[in-house]
mmCIF file of all heavy atoms in Angstrom:
data_model
loop_
_atom_site.group_PDB
_atom_site.id
_atom_site.type_symbol
_atom_site.label_atom_id
_atom_site.label_comp_id
_atom_site.label_asym_id
_atom_site.label_seq_id
_atom_site.Cartn_x
_atom_site.Cartn_y
_atom_site.Cartn_z
ATOM 1 N N ASP T 82 7.209 -13.384 -14.111
ATOM 2 C CA ASP T 82 8.463 -14.060 -13.769
ATOM 3 C C ASP T 82 8.956 -14.870 -14.947
ATOM 4 O O ASP T 82 8.174 -15.447 -15.697
ATOM 5 C CB ASP T 82 8.227 -15.025 -12.589
ATOM 6 C CG ASP T 82 7.922 -14.246 -11.327
ATOM 7 O OD1 ASP T 82 8.441 -13.123 -11.187
ATOM 8 O OD2 ASP T 82 7.142 -14.767 -10.494
ATOM 9 N N CYS T 83 10.261 -14.935 -15.071
ATOM 10 C CA CYS T 83 10.880 -15.797 -16.079
ATOM 11 C C CYS T 83 10.516 -17.248 -15.768
ATOM 12 O O CYS T 83 10.466 -17.645 -14.607
ATOM 13 C CB CYS T 83 12.398 -15.582 -16.026
ATOM 14 S SG CYS T 83 13.304 -16.721 -17.046
ATOM 15 N N GLU T 84 10.226 -18.010 -16.813
ATOM 16 C CA GLU T 84 9.747 -19.386 -16.571
ATOM 17 C C GLU T 84 10.853 -20.371 -16.241
ATOM 18 O O GLU T 84 10.597 -21.531 -15.954
ATOM 19 C CB GLU T 84 8.960 -19.883 -17.800
ATOM 20 C CG GLU T 84 7.563 -19.291 -17.865
ATOM 21 C CD GLU T 84 6.794 -19.729 -19.094
ATOM 22 O OE1 GLU T 84 7.253 -20.654 -19.792
ATOM 23 O OE2 GLU T 84 5.743 -19.117 -19.361
ATOM 24 N N ILE T 85 12.110 -19.953 -16.346
ATOM 25 C CA ILE T 85 13.209 -20.871 -16.046
ATOM 26 C C ILE T 85 13.329 -21.027 -14.526
ATOM 27 O O ILE T 85 13.492 -20.022 -13.820
ATOM 28 C CB ILE T 85 14.540 -20.334 -16.629
ATOM 29 C CG1 ILE T 85 14.415 -20.136 -18.139
ATOM 30 C CG2 ILE T 85 15.699 -21.245 -16.273
ATOM 31 C CD1 ILE T 85 14.148 -21.420 -18.924
ATOM 32 N N PRO T 86 13.217 -22.242 -14.008
ATOM 33 C CA PRO T 86 13.264 -22.414 -12.555
ATOM 34 C C PRO T 86 14.584 -21.860 -12.002
ATOM 35 O O PRO T 86 15.636 -22.077 -12.583
ATOM 36 C CB PRO T 86 13.186 -23.928 -12.369
ATOM 37 C CG PRO T 86 12.651 -24.462 -13.649
ATOM 38 C CD PRO T 86 13.060 -23.512 -14.724
ATOM 39 N N GLY T 87 14.480 -21.106 -10.923
ATOM 40 C CA GLY T 87 15.678 -20.563 -10.303
ATOM 41 C C GLY T 87 16.006 -19.160 -10.765
ATOM 42 O O GLY T 87 16.765 -18.451 -10.118
ATOM 43 N N CYS T 88 15.421 -18.734 -11.904
ATOM 44 C CA CYS T 88 15.694 -17.380 -12.389
ATOM 45 C C CYS T 88 14.713 -16.430 -11.704
ATOM 46 O O CYS T 88 13.543 -16.740 -11.562
ATOM 47 C CB CYS T 88 15.531 -17.307 -13.907
ATOM 48 S SG CYS T 88 15.818 -15.645 -14.549
ATOM 49 N N VAL T 89 15.227 -15.296 -11.254
ATOM 50 C CA VAL T 89 14.355 -14.377 -10.520
ATOM 51 C C VAL T 89 14.012 -13.140 -11.337
ATOM 52 O O VAL T 89 13.472 -12.181 -10.824
ATOM 53 C CB VAL T 89 15.023 -13.941 -9.205
ATOM 54 C CG1 VAL T 89 15.042 -15.083 -8.224
ATOM 55 C CG2 VAL T 89 16.412 -13.414 -9.467
ATOM 56 N N LYS T 90 14.339 -13.161 -12.618
ATOM 57 C CA LYS T 90 14.130 -11.960 -13.424
ATOM 58 C C LYS T 90 12.708 -11.880 -13.978
ATOM 59 O O LYS T 90 11.994 -12.874 -14.017
ATOM 60 C CB LYS T 90 15.118 -11.976 -14.588
ATOM 61 C CG LYS T 90 16.548 -11.903 -14.106
ATOM 62 C CD LYS T 90 17.314 -11.022 -15.010
ATOM 63 C CE LYS T 90 18.627 -10.618 -14.423
ATOM 64 N NZ LYS T 90 19.197 -9.518 -15.150
ATOM 65 N N GLY T 91 12.367 -10.673 -14.427
ATOM 66 C CA GLY T 91 11.079 -10.483 -15.066
ATOM 67 C C GLY T 91 11.248 -10.576 -16.576
ATOM 68 O O GLY T 91 12.331 -10.333 -17.098
ATOM 69 N N THR T 92 10.182 -10.937 -17.256
ATOM 70 C CA THR T 92 10.287 -11.060 -18.704
ATOM 71 C C THR T 92 9.393 -10.009 -19.358
ATOM 72 O O THR T 92 8.393 -9.605 -18.785
ATOM 73 C CB THR T 92 9.810 -12.432 -19.198
ATOM 74 O OG1 THR T 92 8.411 -12.504 -18.949
ATOM 75 C CG2 THR T 92 10.497 -13.549 -18.484
ATOM 76 N N PRO T 97 8.178 -15.944 -22.883
ATOM 77 C CA PRO T 97 8.193 -16.867 -21.749
ATOM 78 C C PRO T 97 9.406 -16.692 -20.837
ATOM 79 O O PRO T 97 9.309 -16.897 -19.633
ATOM 80 C CB PRO T 97 8.213 -18.245 -22.406
ATOM 81 C CG PRO T 97 8.798 -18.015 -23.756
ATOM 82 C CD PRO T 97 8.461 -16.613 -24.152
ATOM 83 N N ILE T 98 10.559 -16.327 -21.410
ATOM 84 C CA ILE T 98 11.756 -16.276 -20.565
ATOM 85 C C ILE T 98 12.458 -14.934 -20.704
ATOM 86 O O ILE T 98 12.239 -14.205 -21.668
ATOM 87 C CB ILE T 98 12.723 -17.456 -20.884
ATOM 88 C CG1 ILE T 98 13.189 -17.400 -22.336
ATOM 89 C CG2 ILE T 98 12.061 -18.788 -20.612
ATOM 90 C CD1 ILE T 98 14.184 -18.507 -22.665
ATOM 91 N N CYS T 99 13.277 -14.617 -19.685
ATOM 92 C CA CYS T 99 13.898 -13.299 -19.655
ATOM 93 C C CYS T 99 15.003 -13.196 -20.716
ATOM 94 O O CYS T 99 15.418 -14.204 -21.294
ATOM 95 C CB CYS T 99 14.455 -13.000 -18.273
ATOM 96 S SG CYS T 99 15.931 -13.935 -17.871
ATOM 97 N N VAL T 100 15.467 -11.977 -20.933
ATOM 98 C CA VAL T 100 16.434 -11.742 -21.997
ATOM 99 C C VAL T 100 17.721 -12.553 -21.757
ATOM 100 O O VAL T 100 18.254 -13.178 -22.675
ATOM 101 C CB VAL T 100 16.763 -10.236 -22.097
ATOM 102 C CG1 VAL T 100 17.779 -9.984 -23.194
ATOM 103 C CG2 VAL T 100 15.484 -9.453 -22.359
ATOM 104 N N GLY T 101 18.178 -12.572 -20.493
ATOM 105 C CA GLY T 101 19.407 -13.313 -20.157
ATOM 106 C C GLY T 101 19.246 -14.791 -20.449
ATOM 107 O O GLY T 101 20.100 -15.421 -21.088
ATOM 108 N N CYS T 102 18.134 -15.366 -19.989
ATOM 109 C CA CYS T 102 17.903 -16.793 -20.221
ATOM 110 C C CYS T 102 17.739 -17.068 -21.716
ATOM 111 O O CYS T 102 18.173 -18.107 -22.210
ATOM 112 C CB CYS T 102 16.671 -17.262 -19.460
ATOM 113 S SG CYS T 102 16.948 -17.320 -17.682
ATOM 114 N N MET T 103 17.114 -16.134 -22.412
ATOM 115 C CA MET T 103 16.924 -16.297 -23.852
ATOM 116 C C MET T 103 18.281 -16.425 -24.541
ATOM 117 O O MET T 103 18.489 -17.333 -25.361
ATOM 118 C CB MET T 103 16.161 -15.072 -24.389
ATOM 119 C CG MET T 103 15.901 -15.076 -25.879
ATOM 120 S SD MET T 103 14.738 -16.344 -26.379
ATOM 121 C CE MET T 103 13.185 -15.550 -26.010
ATOM 122 N N ARG T 105 21.134 -17.330 -23.122
ATOM 123 C CA ARG T 105 21.772 -18.588 -22.713
ATOM 124 C C ARG T 105 21.155 -19.758 -23.463
ATOM 125 O O ARG T 105 21.831 -20.683 -23.886
ATOM 126 C CB ARG T 105 21.623 -18.796 -21.196
ATOM 127 C CG ARG T 105 22.741 -18.140 -20.399
ATOM 128 C CD ARG T 105 22.650 -18.531 -18.948
ATOM 129 N NE ARG T 105 21.429 -18.001 -18.349
ATOM 130 C CZ ARG T 105 21.308 -16.743 -17.922
ATOM 131 N NH1 ARG T 105 22.338 -15.923 -17.990
ATOM 132 N NH2 ARG T 105 20.181 -16.315 -17.420
ATOM 133 N N PHE T 116 15.957 -27.088 -21.909
ATOM 134 C CA PHE T 116 16.624 -25.962 -21.258
ATOM 135 C C PHE T 116 15.871 -25.584 -19.976
ATOM 136 O O PHE T 116 16.453 -25.348 -18.936
ATOM 137 C CB PHE T 116 16.689 -24.777 -22.220
ATOM 138 C CG PHE T 116 17.437 -23.594 -21.687
ATOM 139 C CD1 PHE T 116 18.828 -23.607 -21.625
ATOM 140 C CD2 PHE T 116 16.753 -22.487 -21.219
ATOM 141 C CE1 PHE T 116 19.521 -22.519 -21.127
ATOM 142 C CE2 PHE T 116 17.442 -21.396 -20.719
ATOM 143 C CZ PHE T 116 18.829 -21.412 -20.672
ATOM 144 N N ARG T 121 17.901 -22.864 -13.895
ATOM 145 C CA ARG T 121 18.904 -21.807 -13.957
ATOM 146 C C ARG T 121 20.206 -22.353 -13.396
ATOM 147 O O ARG T 121 20.263 -22.818 -12.263
ATOM 148 C CB ARG T 121 18.399 -20.628 -13.131
ATOM 149 C CG ARG T 121 19.312 -19.465 -13.083
ATOM 150 C CD ARG T 121 19.199 -18.665 -14.389
ATOM 151 N NE ARG T 121 19.868 -17.380 -14.208
ATOM 152 C CZ ARG T 121 21.193 -17.241 -14.294
ATOM 153 N NH1 ARG T 121 21.970 -18.286 -14.522
ATOM 154 N NH2 ARG T 121 21.725 -16.056 -14.109
HETATM 155 ZN ZN1 ZN I 919 15.481 -15.895 -16.663
#
Side-chain angles (χ1 to χ4, degrees):
D82 292 329
C83 172
E84 283 178 11
I85 302 297
C88 179
V89 288
K90 296 220 165 194
T92 67
I98 61 178
C99 72
V100 179
C102 289
M103 179 68 82
R105 273 188 295 279
F116 184 75
R121 180 78 168 80

